[in-house]
Amino acid sequence: LDGKERFMHTSMCEDVCKTKKVKELKTIDANSVTVQDLEILLETTMYHGFPIVSDDQLNIVIGYVSRNDLIRALKCARDKHIDLVNASRVYFTDGLMRSNAGGGPISVSLGKVVNHDPICIEPKTPLAHTIDMFTKLGVSQVLITNRGKLKGIITRKDVLRHIDYLKTTDNGHNLF
Ligand code: ATP
């Protein structure tokens, strides 16, 4: 994906998702996530990042956090706030610390490490446009959304894998 050749095939973003091995998305629900939830998510997955959604059911995208930023931010919060516990709620809005006015465990805000405007594209976006985004904006992943609702994620490598797949099918000629 170096932008030197123009991609000519009619594939769309949703076609890339269809050829992916794992389709289930691992997201962070901004309305209910705890420190422990995030630590388990990091231990049990190896993805480079996670979409943050406003509600597990509605799946409205409110941001994206990279794996490395999340690891660093959680470690920093654990080191800095000794009263942070597994059940502490994590918020992704800006601001440092929320009070524990209700008497429960303290909460922490990790809003500073979140990309609040991740690049989102529609499922029917031509793959050629998506490739342009990867090459011109230098991003590693884009989110696929429909009216704000998260439908998928595709990485630079997913696109490369999809191009390889197209090369092996009957439609494989005239890709560029
Ligand atoms: P690699 O791990 O080889 O560098 P990659 O660059 O595609 O692969 P990853 O973030 O590890 O990056 O994604 C691996 C696969 O999982 C890709 O198909 C990607 O679309 C998908 N993926 C990425 N993030 C998530 C997520 N949060 N939930 C579910 N699937 C994801």
Side-chain angles (χ1 to χ4, degrees):
L1 295 185
D2 55 10
K4 286 182 187 146
E5 290 176 307
R6 181 90 190 128
F7 186 74
M8 303 296 284
H9 195 269
T10 53
S11 264
M12 294 177 284
C13 274
E14 60 184 8
D15 299 324
V16 178
C17 287
K18 283 179 200 154
T19 55
K20 271 171 42 169
K21 279 195 195 123
V22 180
K23 295 185 179 83
E24 190 211 347
L25 282 169
K26 289 285 181 186
T27 58
I28 295 171
D29 183 349
N31 293 326
S32 67
V33 76
T34 64
V35 167
Q36 186 177 36
D37 293 336
L38 291 176
E39 288 173 345
I40 290 174
L41 182 69
L42 288 165
E43 275 166 27
T44 55
T45 65
M46 289 306 291
Y47 300 123
H48 286 100
F50 306 92
I52 302 171
V53 294
S54 68
D55 180 303
D56 250 351
Q57 303 300 313
L58 290 174
N59 250 4
I60 303 290
V61 175
I62 60 163
Y64 177 87
V65 64
S66 80
R67 176 185 194 80
N68 286 342
D69 285 346
L70 189 57
I71 291 172
R72 266 194 294 270
L74 277 173
K75 185 177 181 316
C76 187
R78 283 276 199 193
D79 291 348
K80 207 164 151 193
H81 309 291
I82 45 163
D83 42 356
L84 205 66
V85 292
N86 285 347
S88 288
R89 281 274 284 110
V90 178
Y91 292 90
F92 292 97
T93 45
D94 287 331
L96 274 178
M97 203 71 183
R98 298 223 174 171
S99 69
N100 54 339
I106 62 150
S107 316
V108 67
S109 170
L110 303 184
K112 281 196 173 160
V113 295
V114 170
N115 174 0
H116 295 281
D117 289 303
I119 294 177
C120 298
I121 52 178
E122 291 179 358
K124 303 255 180 248
T125 305
L127 190 53
H129 288 192
T130 315
I131 291 176
D132 279 350
M133 284 187 183
F134 279 111
T135 52
K136 290 182 181 149
L137 303 178
V139 291
S140 303
Q141 74 291 311
V142 295
L143 304 183
I144 303 183
T145 54
N146 196 354
R147 295 171 191 258
K149 287 188 184 180
L150 184 66
K151 298 290 172 194
I153 183 168
I154 57 176
T155 65
R156 186 177 276 265
K157 283 191 188 167
D158 286 329
V159 174
L160 291 171
R161 283 186 280 259
H162 186 72
I163 292 174
D164 278 346
Y165 163 79
L166 290 174
K167 281 180 185 164
T168 62
T169 65
D170 286 343
N171 311 332
H173 51 277
N174 294 336
L175 289 184
F176 292 94

